[in-house]
Structures are given as C-alpha cells and as structure tokens.
Amino acid sequence: MKLKPTLFILFVCAQFSAFAQPTWEVGNTTLTEYDLVTGTQLPWEILWGPDDHLWMTSRKGEVLRIDPATGSYTTVLQKNVMNGGNGEPGMLGMAMHPEWETTPKVYLVYCAGTSWNGEEYLCSFDWDGEALVNEEILLTLDAGGIHNGSRLLVLPDNTLLMTSGDVGSSALSQSMNSLQGKTLRLNLDGSIPEDNPFPDSYVYTIGNRNSQGLALGPDGIIYSSEHGQNSNDEFNIVQAGGNYGWPQVEGFCNTAAEQNFCAENDVIEPLEAWTPCIAVNGIEYYNHEAIPEWQHSVLLSVLGGLGGQYERLSVLHLSEDGLNVESEDQFFSSFNQRIRDIAVNPYTGSVYVAFNGTSYPGSGPNIIKEFRNESFASGIDQGPNLLQTVAYPNPADDLIQFQWQGDFGPLTYDIFGFSGQKMVSGQSRGGIIACETSDWPAGSYFIVLQHGEGSVTTTFQVQR
Ligand SMILES: [Ca+2]
Ligand SMILES: [Ca+2]
Ligand SMILES: [Ca+2]
C-alpha cells in the first residue's frame, strides 16, 4: 500500500517542475532557466567539447564530463591540488585539441604542492573514452596562494595561449626572466612557436597581473579579462609582444606617472576598466542566432568583488570591427552568486553559467545553469535523427561533402561555425551536398540538415 502515495508524489513533482521553470526576458527573446548540474564543487572552467559534451574543471581537483541533455556526468580525472582547492590555486583552465577525431587530447592547468607553495603545471592528457590518462607536463611555473591565472585558449593556428598570474609578486610581470604575470604561447606539443614575439621564449604578452578570461572573437581578435588590485579590472585585446602595464599602470594611462611609463613602454590600454573591482572572469564571444540581442558581444562572468556586491553576467556589446565596447548590459545579479565561467551550446545557442557560491574565494556545492531560448532550440534540436550523415574528408582543406542514406525528399541545410555564425545555406534533393570551404577560417563547424520529420546535425573540421 506504500506504492500509491509514492507514485502520486512523483507525478506531482514532475508536473510542478514542468510548470515552474523561471524565465528571463532579453529584449524580445525569452530564456528559460534550467538547473543542469547541481552539487558540483567550485566549477572553474566549463566548455563545450568537440564530443558534444559539456566539460568542467572543479578547482577542488576534478574534471567532469557532462551530458548536456540530462546533466548526468562522470568524473574523468582526479588530482590532489594545492590546499585542496580552498583558495585561488587548484584545477583551473582547460582546452581541447582542435583535431579531436585523431588527437583527443585535453589540456589542463593545475596547482600542486603543500600548503600555499608549489608548482603550477600545464599538462596534456589523452581521452581514452572513459578517463583522462597519460599525463604529460608541458610547462612548470610557480604557484602561489594568490594570482595563478590561468585560462587556456587554442588559436586558429593550432597554438595554445595560457594566462599566468604574478603569484602576488608584481615585479615579475615586467620581467622577461619570469613566466609569471604574462600571456604565454606554446605549440600543442609544448614547444615554443617559431613566430613568438620574443625569440626562444614562451612569452606572448607582459605586464599582466592575473588574467582569468580568454576568448576568440571575430577576425581572429583575442579578448582577455584581467583582475585589478582594488581598482581597474580590465577587458583587453591580446596582441603579440604587448605590454599591458602592470604594476606601473592600472587601467588606462591616466596619471602623470602612468603616462610617462606608457609612452616609454608602448603600453596597450584596456578597452574597458571597472573601478572599484568587480572581479572579472571567464569570457565567451557570443554570435548565435538563438539570442539575437546578444549577437556580436562578449559574455563576461563577474564574481562580484571581495565584498560580493557586483555579481552578474555582463554582456559587452562590441563595435562592428570588434575593437571597442559600445555598451554593457547586466543579467542574473539577483542570484547573488559569484559567476565564474560560461559556455555556449553551438547548436541551440544556450548559455551555460557556472556559479561559485556567495563569498570570496568561493564555496560549494554549486550549480551549473542553462539559459535556453526554447522557441529556437525546439526548431533545431529535436525531432528524430533519421539521417545517418557522413562528412568527408574530415578535416577538410577545401571541398567538403556530406552524404546520407534514405529518401527523405527535399532538404534544406545550414552550416554554422562554432561561435554561431552562419557560413552557408542551401537546398538539396539528392543524397549528397558539396561545399567549398577554402575561404573559411580553420576551426570546427557543423551542418544542420532539416528534413520533413526533423533535423540532424554533424560536426566537422576545416584546417588550413
Ligand atoms: Ca568557458
Ligand atoms: Ca593593464
Ligand atoms: Ca590608470
């Protein structure tokens, strides 16, 4: 006789959750809020992987692989990290090898050692389908109690950027003898690229304090976010060989001393600065059709500052050339939760947001939320996957072809880049589509085939 009440409660809960999803208005777009993963510990990096899963680092020393449809996840790596990830150091940035089909490598930065002293490692791991294995250390830096960076970003030329912090010793940022307080650039095997701005050096930029945001924008523009001390959090464009001023310059070159230093050292000023500090963190360039109001913007995670009063997701609307910020909109401050990082679903345009608790330096358990435009997502994400589509050659140099089986009548197709830009659209009656890709940037793309009974998507790579 116990069975009936239990079934009744389950039924009521299911009904309740279906009707109770909160929504957010963004201009004319409605975003529905979902709790994708609850109970995570200090998510630091979240990113959309080439295997169509959401990947997450936990500052406590773990890497999770999350099914974005259900939120179920597996722990694919566990490391002992400095002070258990209770302060700023721990498991930090992550990036994937761009040729995942043939080289499924994951790049990670973590800090290890006793108490507040130790090393920061940039490593690669092999993904064996179940776990990250075969750790290889590519670079070793100092780790400190504070200011360890570190975001990672693979560039279209298959080099890897890593931000490093000044570990609290600000003079290191201007020293060419130190890898701290810099942006570093490596080949994917850990070697120094021949075209780095300083010969035989990993150093790509100097004068950085503690940059914890990196994103690729239009036309190869690289954006970064960087923590200021008490004032002047910065949003920058990363340029080879650039000096970003720290510790002599904070924010813009607007004091007499700063102006002298800036003139002598050709300091690159930020696009935007925030005083007092709001604690800027992970960033993503957003250009997806799902949220037209956010197209051609940088989404900026804001932790909220030491007092925890500025938490939000900022939307930095860019000028047409991407070289300036024209305005900032703010969302989700009412959660009063530190926002650490974001990721974007390339198919649905959904934005995933990782929260870090209410106070510095963060505490778990935490949540990853998804914000989805249902009216867009239902159009491309659902329906039966009736077509077995093959893309070849993959990766492609110039011509790529898509072939499928079955007679489904006329099809329409759209090809998108992974930041959401539409590359080409068309119609097809036969069982094959051919596209010229020779003027597309290297990177990941996907095709959406719409047929009478639904849609199907396939991911592919373009290499140069
Ligand atoms: Ca991210
Ligand atoms: Ca600066
Ligand atoms: Ca200044």
Side-chain angles (χ1 to χ4, degrees):
M1 289 307 290
K2 265 186 173 177
L3 198 59
K4 268 186 179 172
T6 308
L7 283 173
F8 178 71
I9 289 166
L10 282 172
F11 177 74
V12 169
C13 289
Q15 289 296 306
F16 179 79
S17 76
F19 283 102
Q21 295 309 132
T23 58
W24 299 76
E25 302 305 317
V26 181
N28 293 320
T29 300
T30 299
L31 300 181
T32 305
E33 173 190 329
Y34 296 93
D35 294 345
L36 181 68
V37 188
T38 57
T40 66
Q41 292 296 320
L42 294 164
W44 206 93
E45 174 75 67
I46 51 172
L47 60 78
W48 188 269
D51 58 347
D52 287 340
H53 278 63
L54 195 66
W55 291 65
M56 181 200 113
T57 67
S58 156
R59 203 174 66 203
K60 295 277 192 182
E62 293 185 337
V63 177
L64 308 187
R65 181 173 178 263
I66 301 162
D67 181 340
T70 64
S72 65
Y73 61 86
T74 56
T75 302
V76 299
L77 182 70
Q78 244 173 332
K79 301 292 290 187
N80 288 325
V81 295
M82 205 168 171
N83 216 34
N86 288 315
E88 293 184 21
M91 183 78 74
L92 303 174
M94 173 169 55
M96 308 317 207
H97 198 288
E99 286 149 10
W100 181 263
E101 299 287 322
T102 55
T103 315
K105 280 187 185 295
V106 174
Y107 297 85
L108 285 161
V109 174
Y110 67 91
C111 308
T114 54
S115 182
W116 295 111
N117 255 310
E119 276 74 50
E120 181 169 68
Y121 299 110
L122 167 62
C123 297
S124 70
F125 293 81
D126 293 329
W127 170 242
D128 72 358
E130 289 183 356
L132 296 177
V133 298
N134 299 335
E135 176 173 2
E136 188 184 340
I137 297 174
L138 304 182
L139 206 57
T140 304
L141 285 77
D142 290 333
I146 55 171
H147 304 181
N148 296 287
S150 170
R151 288 285 169 196
L152 297 176
L153 177 69
V154 176
L155 299 180
D157 65 1
N158 281 6
T159 58
L160 178 67
L161 288 189
M162 171 185 180
T163 64
S164 68
D166 71 5
V167 290
S169 300
S170 60
L172 297 177
S173 295
Q174 292 288 331
S175 167
M176 284 302 297
N177 297 322
S178 169
L179 295 180
Q180 312 295 151
K182 307 289 190 302
T183 312
L184 310 173
R185 180 171 174 255
L186 304 86
N187 292 316
L188 292 171
D189 63 3
S191 60
I192 297 173
E194 280 182 11
D195 58 350
N196 262 7
F198 306 102
D200 302 318
S201 170
Y202 291 109
V203 175
Y204 196 67
T205 75
I206 72 169
N208 301 106
R209 183 173 176 273
N210 189 27
S211 175
Q212 296 190 323
L214 272 180
L216 192 63
D219 300 326
I221 298 173
I222 304 158
Y223 300 104
S224 74
S225 68
E226 182 164 346
H227 290 290
Q229 184 163 244
N230 299 301
S231 64
N232 290 292
D233 279 348
E234 297 182 356
F235 180 64
N236 286 296
I237 289 179
V238 178
Q239 297 179 56
N243 185 339
Y244 289 77
W246 177 256
Q248 280 81 359
V249 183
E250 298 175 79
F252 300 102
C253 303
N254 57 354
T255 69
E258 286 180 339
Q259 281 162 357
N260 282 335
F261 186 88
C262 289
E264 281 169 22
N265 297 279
D266 211 8
V267 167
I268 297 174
E269 294 184 284
L271 304 192
E272 199 70 49
W274 291 266
T275 296
C277 287
I278 57 175
V280 293
N281 231 263
I283 58 177
E284 281 283 342
Y285 176 68
Y286 191 89
N287 200 28
H288 203 287
E289 291 182 316
I291 312 175
E293 293 83 355
W294 289 359
Q295 281 189 299
H296 193 47
S297 72
V298 169
L299 306 182
L300 169 69
S301 311
V302 178
L303 291 164
L306 286 175
Q309 63 273 58
Y310 306 112
E311 306 97 331
R312 62 184 183 249
L313 178 73
S314 283
V315 179
L316 306 179
H317 297 283
L318 300 168
S319 60
E320 196 178 335
D321 60 11
L323 300 178
N324 291 288
V325 174
E326 295 196 325
S327 63
E328 175 185 343
D329 289 331
Q330 300 178 7
F331 295 87
F332 310 146
S333 59
S334 56
F335 290 119
N336 292 312
Q337 290 270 333
R338 297 159 63 77
I339 294 183
R340 174 65 74 176
D341 197 25
I342 51 228
V344 177
N345 181 315
Y347 306 105
T348 64
S350 286
V351 175
Y352 303 96
V353 178
F355 293 89
N356 263 196
T358 55
S359 61
Y360 173 89
S363 57
N366 309 113
I367 195 161
I368 299 174
K369 287 180 181 287
E370 177 186 357
F371 297 89
R372 186 194 309 161
N373 178 357
E374 288 292 3
S375 66
F376 183 90
S378 61
I380 72 148
D381 201 31
Q382 292 171 15
N385 284 350
L386 293 175
L387 301 177
Q388 289 293 317
T389 314
V390 181
Y392 66 94
N394 185 12
D397 290 311
D398 39 40
L399 201 69
I400 186 157
Q401 300 188 77
F402 306 93
Q403 197 166 21
W404 61 91
Q405 300 196 333
D407 179 13
F408 297 99
L411 294 158
T412 61
Y413 65 89
D414 299 290
I415 297 178
F416 299 90
F418 256 62
S419 56
Q421 77 274 25
K422 189 183 285 187
M423 308 305 294
V424 64
S425 300
Q427 293 188 330
S428 175
R429 289 199 152 270
I432 195 163
I433 295 170
C435 285
E436 183 57 53
T437 68
S438 56
D439 57 354
W440 300 1
S444 298
Y445 296 85
F446 63 97
I447 185 168
V448 182
L449 285 160
Q450 306 266 2
H451 57 92
E453 295 172 68
S455 61
V456 66
T457 61
T458 293
T459 306
F460 64 97
Q461 308 279 324
V462 170
Q463 67 183 13
R464 293 274 77 90

